[in-house]
Amino acid sequence: LALSLTGCNRIGEYIASKFWQWSFVTSTLEQDLKAEELYKALQNKDQTQVQSLLTPTLQQELKNKHQDFEKITQAIPREAFSSMEIINTVRTAKLGEGKTTTVVYRYLYPNAQVDFTVVFDGIAESTDIVGFHIHAKLFEQQSSEQSVELSEAASQAKHI
């Protein structure tokens, strides 16, 4: 009986350690720096810099949707943000889409909050950006929200 309880404890510890590994997924410093560079390029409306940070497929998608670039850049306040935090990081593997790491960065401004979601290719340390999404919420007298997405997956889905 003592031997079987020890075995159960070890199995439980193993399962708990695996759950712990997947529960606290974090982005890499390189991913965070690239996402910050993309955010600043969008904030400055620097389409050339934005293009240089994206995968070739996403670059083409952005060229085809110039109006989306305007919407995206309008959603980001021009002033400096007061704080930034990472609010979520998820690693996924989807059949037909592959493996991705998605990181949500929250930028706070005096009168706005911008959630900037960046999708990196792969579930490891890849810095290849395959999609991003901006969700801006203004805190003025009349609250308003704006949301714009650009991704390889959305582009491919429209062509199927």
Side-chain angles (χ1 to χ4, degrees), residues 66-89:
H66 184 72
Q67 291 176 340
D68 284 352
F69 181 77
E70 291 300 320
K71 288 178 188 175
I72 291 167
T73 58
Q74 289 174 1
I76 301 173
R78 298 291 158 245
E79 71 264 16
F81 56 88
S82 54
S83 67
M84 187 281 291
E85 66 177 319
I86 297 172
I87 61 170
N88 196 12
T89 303

PDB file of all heavy atoms in Angstrom, residues 66-89:
ATOM      1  N   HIS A  66      -4.515  49.194 -47.897  1.00  0.00           N
ATOM      2  CA  HIS A  66      -3.984  50.478 -47.433  1.00  0.00           C
ATOM      3  C   HIS A  66      -4.957  51.170 -46.470  1.00  0.00           C
ATOM      4  O   HIS A  66      -4.540  51.829 -45.526  1.00  0.00           O
ATOM      5  CB  HIS A  66      -3.659  51.388 -48.611  1.00  0.00           C
ATOM      6  CG  HIS A  66      -3.024  52.671 -48.196  1.00  0.00           C
ATOM      7  ND1 HIS A  66      -1.722  52.724 -47.739  1.00  0.00           N
ATOM      8  CD2 HIS A  66      -3.520  53.935 -48.121  1.00  0.00           C
ATOM      9  CE1 HIS A  66      -1.442  53.972 -47.404  1.00  0.00           C
ATOM     10  NE2 HIS A  66      -2.505  54.728 -47.638  1.00  0.00           N
ATOM     11  N   GLN A  67      -6.262  51.002 -46.704  1.00  0.00           N
ATOM     12  CA  GLN A  67      -7.257  51.612 -45.819  1.00  0.00           C
ATOM     13  C   GLN A  67      -7.165  51.044 -44.405  1.00  0.00           C
ATOM     14  O   GLN A  67      -7.379  51.761 -43.434  1.00  0.00           O
ATOM     15  CB  GLN A  67      -8.663  51.424 -46.372  1.00  0.00           C
ATOM     16  CG  GLN A  67      -8.907  52.223 -47.636  1.00  0.00           C
ATOM     17  CD  GLN A  67     -10.272  51.933 -48.209  1.00  0.00           C
ATOM     18  OE1 GLN A  67     -10.892  50.916 -47.922  1.00  0.00           O
ATOM     19  NE2 GLN A  67     -10.753  52.850 -49.058  1.00  0.00           N
ATOM     20  N   ASP A  68      -6.850  49.757 -44.278  1.00  0.00           N
ATOM     21  CA  ASP A  68      -6.687  49.151 -42.955  1.00  0.00           C
ATOM     22  C   ASP A  68      -5.506  49.768 -42.220  1.00  0.00           C
ATOM     23  O   ASP A  68      -5.554  49.971 -41.007  1.00  0.00           O
ATOM     24  CB  ASP A  68      -6.499  47.633 -43.056  1.00  0.00           C
ATOM     25  CG  ASP A  68      -7.798  46.905 -43.341  1.00  0.00           C
ATOM     26  OD1 ASP A  68      -8.868  47.547 -43.304  1.00  0.00           O
ATOM     27  OD2 ASP A  68      -7.742  45.685 -43.587  1.00  0.00           O
ATOM     28  N   PHE A  69      -4.434  50.075 -42.955  1.00  0.00           N
ATOM     29  CA  PHE A  69      -3.272  50.709 -42.329  1.00  0.00           C
ATOM     30  C   PHE A  69      -3.687  52.052 -41.730  1.00  0.00           C
ATOM     31  O   PHE A  69      -3.296  52.389 -40.609  1.00  0.00           O
ATOM     32  CB  PHE A  69      -2.137  50.898 -43.339  1.00  0.00           C
ATOM     33  CG  PHE A  69      -0.904  51.518 -42.735  1.00  0.00           C
ATOM     34  CD1 PHE A  69      -0.045  50.772 -41.950  1.00  0.00           C
ATOM     35  CD2 PHE A  69      -0.620  52.866 -42.939  1.00  0.00           C
ATOM     36  CE1 PHE A  69       1.085  51.344 -41.384  1.00  0.00           C
ATOM     37  CE2 PHE A  69       0.504  53.446 -42.379  1.00  0.00           C
ATOM     38  CZ  PHE A  69       1.363  52.683 -41.594  1.00  0.00           C
ATOM     39  N   GLU A  70      -4.487  52.804 -42.456  1.00  0.00           N
ATOM     40  CA  GLU A  70      -4.963  54.093 -41.946  1.00  0.00           C
ATOM     41  C   GLU A  70      -5.810  53.914 -40.687  1.00  0.00           C
ATOM     42  O   GLU A  70      -5.656  54.656 -39.725  1.00  0.00           O
ATOM     43  CB  GLU A  70      -5.759  54.837 -43.030  1.00  0.00           C
ATOM     44  CG  GLU A  70      -4.915  55.328 -44.175  1.00  0.00           C
ATOM     45  CD  GLU A  70      -3.829  56.299 -43.744  1.00  0.00           C
ATOM     46  OE1 GLU A  70      -4.090  57.155 -42.881  1.00  0.00           O
ATOM     47  OE2 GLU A  70      -2.709  56.196 -44.277  1.00  0.00           O
ATOM     48  N   LYS A  71      -6.702  52.925 -40.698  1.00  0.00           N
ATOM     49  CA  LYS A  71      -7.542  52.664 -39.521  1.00  0.00           C
ATOM     50  C   LYS A  71      -6.689  52.269 -38.315  1.00  0.00           C
ATOM     51  O   LYS A  71      -6.939  52.702 -37.194  1.00  0.00           O
ATOM     52  CB  LYS A  71      -8.544  51.549 -39.816  1.00  0.00           C
ATOM     53  CG  LYS A  71      -9.658  51.939 -40.739  1.00  0.00           C
ATOM     54  CD  LYS A  71     -10.560  50.749 -40.983  1.00  0.00           C
ATOM     55  CE  LYS A  71     -11.588  51.020 -42.054  1.00  0.00           C
ATOM     56  NZ  LYS A  71     -12.384  49.827 -42.371  1.00  0.00           N
ATOM     57  N   ILE A  72      -5.699  51.418 -38.567  1.00  0.00           N
ATOM     58  CA  ILE A  72      -4.828  50.958 -37.487  1.00  0.00           C
ATOM     59  C   ILE A  72      -4.078  52.121 -36.869  1.00  0.00           C
ATOM     60  O   ILE A  72      -4.051  52.285 -35.647  1.00  0.00           O
ATOM     61  CB  ILE A  72      -3.838  49.890 -38.012  1.00  0.00           C
ATOM     62  CG1 ILE A  72      -4.578  48.596 -38.359  1.00  0.00           C
ATOM     63  CG2 ILE A  72      -2.736  49.619 -36.993  1.00  0.00           C
ATOM     64  CD1 ILE A  72      -3.758  47.613 -39.173  1.00  0.00           C
ATOM     65  N   THR A  73      -3.478  52.938 -37.712  1.00  0.00           N
ATOM     66  CA  THR A  73      -2.669  54.041 -37.183  1.00  0.00           C
ATOM     67  C   THR A  73      -3.528  55.101 -36.496  1.00  0.00           C
ATOM     68  O   THR A  73      -3.066  55.744 -35.555  1.00  0.00           O
ATOM     69  CB  THR A  73      -1.809  54.686 -38.292  1.00  0.00           C
ATOM     70  OG1 THR A  73      -2.650  55.157 -39.341  1.00  0.00           O
ATOM     71  CG2 THR A  73      -0.801  53.686 -38.847  1.00  0.00           C
ATOM     72  N   GLN A  74      -4.765  55.269 -36.916  1.00  0.00           N
ATOM     73  CA  GLN A  74      -5.660  56.221 -36.268  1.00  0.00           C
ATOM     74  C   GLN A  74      -6.098  55.740 -34.891  1.00  0.00           C
ATOM     75  O   GLN A  74      -6.461  56.551 -34.035  1.00  0.00           O
ATOM     76  CB  GLN A  74      -6.886  56.491 -37.136  1.00  0.00           C
ATOM     77  CG  GLN A  74      -6.580  57.307 -38.373  1.00  0.00           C
ATOM     78  CD  GLN A  74      -7.783  57.442 -39.286  1.00  0.00           C
ATOM     79  OE1 GLN A  74      -8.859  56.938 -39.003  1.00  0.00           O
ATOM     80  NE2 GLN A  74      -7.593  58.122 -40.411  1.00  0.00           N
ATOM     81  N   ALA A  75      -6.077  54.441 -34.665  1.00  0.00           N
ATOM     82  CA  ALA A  75      -6.523  53.884 -33.387  1.00  0.00           C
ATOM     83  C   ALA A  75      -5.513  54.102 -32.260  1.00  0.00           C
ATOM     84  O   ALA A  75      -5.858  54.009 -31.091  1.00  0.00           O
ATOM     85  CB  ALA A  75      -6.798  52.381 -33.546  1.00  0.00           C
ATOM     86  N   ILE A  76      -4.266  54.399 -32.618  1.00  0.00           N
ATOM     87  CA  ILE A  76      -3.215  54.561 -31.610  1.00  0.00           C
ATOM     88  C   ILE A  76      -3.016  56.039 -31.299  1.00  0.00           C
ATOM     89  O   ILE A  76      -2.735  56.824 -32.206  1.00  0.00           O
ATOM     90  CB  ILE A  76      -1.886  53.943 -32.105  1.00  0.00           C
ATOM     91  CG1 ILE A  76      -2.062  52.457 -32.396  1.00  0.00           C
ATOM     92  CG2 ILE A  76      -0.779  54.159 -31.074  1.00  0.00           C
ATOM     93  CD1 ILE A  76      -0.871  51.806 -33.039  1.00  0.00           C
ATOM     94  N   PRO A  77      -3.150  56.429 -30.022  1.00  0.00           N
ATOM     95  CA  PRO A  77      -2.908  57.834 -29.662  1.00  0.00           C
ATOM     96  C   PRO A  77      -1.477  58.250 -30.002  1.00  0.00           C
ATOM     97  O   PRO A  77      -0.549  57.439 -29.964  1.00  0.00           O
ATOM     98  CB  PRO A  77      -3.131  57.854 -28.143  1.00  0.00           C
ATOM     99  CG  PRO A  77      -4.002  56.671 -27.869  1.00  0.00           C
ATOM    100  CD  PRO A  77      -3.593  55.641 -28.879  1.00  0.00           C
ATOM    101  N   ARG A  78      -1.282  59.510 -30.349  1.00  0.00           N
ATOM    102  CA  ARG A  78       0.037  60.015 -30.739  1.00  0.00           C
ATOM    103  C   ARG A  78       0.941  60.317 -29.548  1.00  0.00           C
ATOM    104  O   ARG A  78       2.152  60.305 -29.664  1.00  0.00           O
ATOM    105  CB  ARG A  78      -0.104  61.290 -31.577  1.00  0.00           C
ATOM    106  CG  ARG A  78      -0.837  61.083 -32.864  1.00  0.00           C
ATOM    107  CD  ARG A  78      -0.036  60.240 -33.866  1.00  0.00           C
ATOM    108  NE  ARG A  78      -0.957  59.647 -34.814  1.00  0.00           N
ATOM    109  CZ  ARG A  78      -1.174  58.343 -34.918  1.00  0.00           C
ATOM    110  NH1 ARG A  78      -0.543  57.491 -34.164  1.00  0.00           N
ATOM    111  NH2 ARG A  78      -2.025  57.866 -35.796  1.00  0.00           N
ATOM    112  N   GLU A  79       0.341  60.628 -28.391  1.00  0.00           N
ATOM    113  CA  GLU A  79       1.172  60.971 -27.231  1.00  0.00           C
ATOM    114  C   GLU A  79       1.825  59.716 -26.636  1.00  0.00           C
ATOM    115  O   GLU A  79       1.458  58.593 -26.971  1.00  0.00           O
ATOM    116  CB  GLU A  79       0.360  61.712 -26.158  1.00  0.00           C
ATOM    117  CG  GLU A  79      -0.647  60.859 -25.410  1.00  0.00           C
ATOM    118  CD  GLU A  79      -2.063  60.935 -25.975  1.00  0.00           C
ATOM    119  OE1 GLU A  79      -2.265  61.381 -27.103  1.00  0.00           O
ATOM    120  OE2 GLU A  79      -2.974  60.511 -25.253  1.00  0.00           O
ATOM    121  N   ALA A  80       2.780  59.946 -25.771  1.00  0.00           N
ATOM    122  CA  ALA A  80       3.481  58.844 -25.116  1.00  0.00           C
ATOM    123  C   ALA A  80       2.525  58.111 -24.162  1.00  0.00           C
ATOM    124  O   ALA A  80       1.711  58.748 -23.491  1.00  0.00           O
ATOM    125  CB  ALA A  80       4.688  59.364 -24.344  1.00  0.00           C
ATOM    126  N   PHE A  81       2.629  56.808 -24.107  1.00  0.00           N
ATOM    127  CA  PHE A  81       1.791  56.035 -23.186  1.00  0.00           C
ATOM    128  C   PHE A  81       2.344  56.161 -21.769  1.00  0.00           C
ATOM    129  O   PHE A  81       3.526  56.387 -21.564  1.00  0.00           O
ATOM    130  CB  PHE A  81       1.688  54.566 -23.621  1.00  0.00           C
ATOM    131  CG  PHE A  81       3.004  53.852 -23.775  1.00  0.00           C
ATOM    132  CD1 PHE A  81       3.597  53.204 -22.697  1.00  0.00           C
ATOM    133  CD2 PHE A  81       3.655  53.816 -25.010  1.00  0.00           C
ATOM    134  CE1 PHE A  81       4.806  52.543 -22.841  1.00  0.00           C
ATOM    135  CE2 PHE A  81       4.859  53.153 -25.160  1.00  0.00           C
ATOM    136  CZ  PHE A  81       5.439  52.517 -24.074  1.00  0.00           C
ATOM    137  N   SER A  82       1.462  56.004 -20.787  1.00  0.00           N
ATOM    138  CA  SER A  82       1.889  56.137 -19.393  1.00  0.00           C
ATOM    139  C   SER A  82       2.413  54.827 -18.830  1.00  0.00           C
ATOM    140  O   SER A  82       3.275  54.827 -17.946  1.00  0.00           O
ATOM    141  CB  SER A  82       0.753  56.675 -18.524  1.00  0.00           C
ATOM    142  OG  SER A  82      -0.401  55.867 -18.666  1.00  0.00           O
ATOM    143  N   SER A  83       1.908  53.688 -19.342  1.00  0.00           N
ATOM    144  CA  SER A  83       2.432  52.389 -18.906  1.00  0.00           C
ATOM    145  C   SER A  83       2.081  51.322 -19.932  1.00  0.00           C
ATOM    146  O   SER A  83       1.181  51.498 -20.756  1.00  0.00           O
ATOM    147  CB  SER A  83       1.877  51.997 -17.536  1.00  0.00           C
ATOM    148  OG  SER A  83       0.482  51.748 -17.621  1.00  0.00           O
ATOM    149  N   MET A  84       2.817  50.229 -19.857  1.00  0.00           N
ATOM    150  CA  MET A  84       2.572  49.079 -20.730  1.00  0.00           C
ATOM    151  C   MET A  84       2.737  47.829 -19.898  1.00  0.00           C
ATOM    152  O   MET A  84       3.633  47.748 -19.063  1.00  0.00           O
ATOM    153  CB  MET A  84       3.552  49.060 -21.907  1.00  0.00           C
ATOM    154  CG  MET A  84       3.266  47.980 -22.953  1.00  0.00           C
ATOM    155  SD  MET A  84       3.787  46.290 -22.571  1.00  0.00           S
ATOM    156  CE  MET A  84       5.551  46.427 -22.650  1.00  0.00           C
ATOM    157  N   GLU A  85       1.850  46.869 -20.110  1.00  0.00           N
ATOM    158  CA  GLU A  85       1.984  45.581 -19.440  1.00  0.00           C
ATOM    159  C   GLU A  85       1.568  44.469 -20.393  1.00  0.00           C
ATOM    160  O   GLU A  85       0.775  44.688 -21.306  1.00  0.00           O
ATOM    161  CB  GLU A  85       1.146  45.529 -18.162  1.00  0.00           C
ATOM    162  CG  GLU A  85      -0.349  45.593 -18.410  1.00  0.00           C
ATOM    163  CD  GLU A  85      -1.164  45.478 -17.143  1.00  0.00           C
ATOM    164  OE1 GLU A  85      -0.811  44.661 -16.268  1.00  0.00           O
ATOM    165  OE2 GLU A  85      -2.165  46.205 -17.025  1.00  0.00           O
ATOM    166  N   ILE A  86       2.131  43.309 -20.181  1.00  0.00           N
ATOM    167  CA  ILE A  86       1.721  42.134 -20.945  1.00  0.00           C
ATOM    168  C   ILE A  86       0.573  41.511 -20.170  1.00  0.00           C
ATOM    169  O   ILE A  86       0.732  41.147 -19.005  1.00  0.00           O
ATOM    170  CB  ILE A  86       2.883  41.138 -21.107  1.00  0.00           C
ATOM    171  CG1 ILE A  86       4.009  41.796 -21.911  1.00  0.00           C
ATOM    172  CG2 ILE A  86       2.401  39.857 -21.776  1.00  0.00           C
ATOM    173  CD1 ILE A  86       5.284  40.985 -21.963  1.00  0.00           C
ATOM    174  N   ILE A  87      -0.592  41.402 -20.812  1.00  0.00           N
ATOM    175  CA  ILE A  87      -1.750  40.884 -20.088  1.00  0.00           C
ATOM    176  C   ILE A  87      -2.064  39.429 -20.423  1.00  0.00           C
ATOM    177  O   ILE A  87      -2.807  38.794 -19.689  1.00  0.00           O
ATOM    178  CB  ILE A  87      -2.997  41.764 -20.286  1.00  0.00           C
ATOM    179  CG1 ILE A  87      -3.413  41.837 -21.751  1.00  0.00           C
ATOM    180  CG2 ILE A  87      -2.768  43.150 -19.712  1.00  0.00           C
ATOM    181  CD1 ILE A  87      -4.768  42.494 -21.952  1.00  0.00           C
ATOM    182  N   ASN A  88      -1.478  38.899 -21.507  1.00  0.00           N
ATOM    183  CA  ASN A  88      -1.737  37.498 -21.835  1.00  0.00           C
ATOM    184  C   ASN A  88      -0.709  37.002 -22.848  1.00  0.00           C
ATOM    185  O   ASN A  88      -0.300  37.741 -23.735  1.00  0.00           O
ATOM    186  CB  ASN A  88      -3.146  37.333 -22.414  1.00  0.00           C
ATOM    187  CG  ASN A  88      -3.622  35.903 -22.404  1.00  0.00           C
ATOM    188  OD1 ASN A  88      -3.023  35.039 -21.776  1.00  0.00           O
ATOM    189  ND2 ASN A  88      -4.714  35.649 -23.095  1.00  0.00           N
ATOM    190  N   THR A  89      -0.314  35.755 -22.683  1.00  0.00           N
ATOM    191  CA  THR A  89       0.546  35.069 -23.647  1.00  0.00           C
ATOM    192  C   THR A  89       0.005  33.653 -23.806  1.00  0.00           C
ATOM    193  O   THR A  89      -0.221  32.964 -22.818  1.00  0.00           O
ATOM    194  CB  THR A  89       2.008  35.008 -23.153  1.00  0.00           C
ATOM    195  OG1 THR A  89       2.463  36.339 -22.907  1.00  0.00           O
ATOM    196  CG2 THR A  89       2.907  34.353 -24.182  1.00  0.00           C
TER     197      THR A  89
END
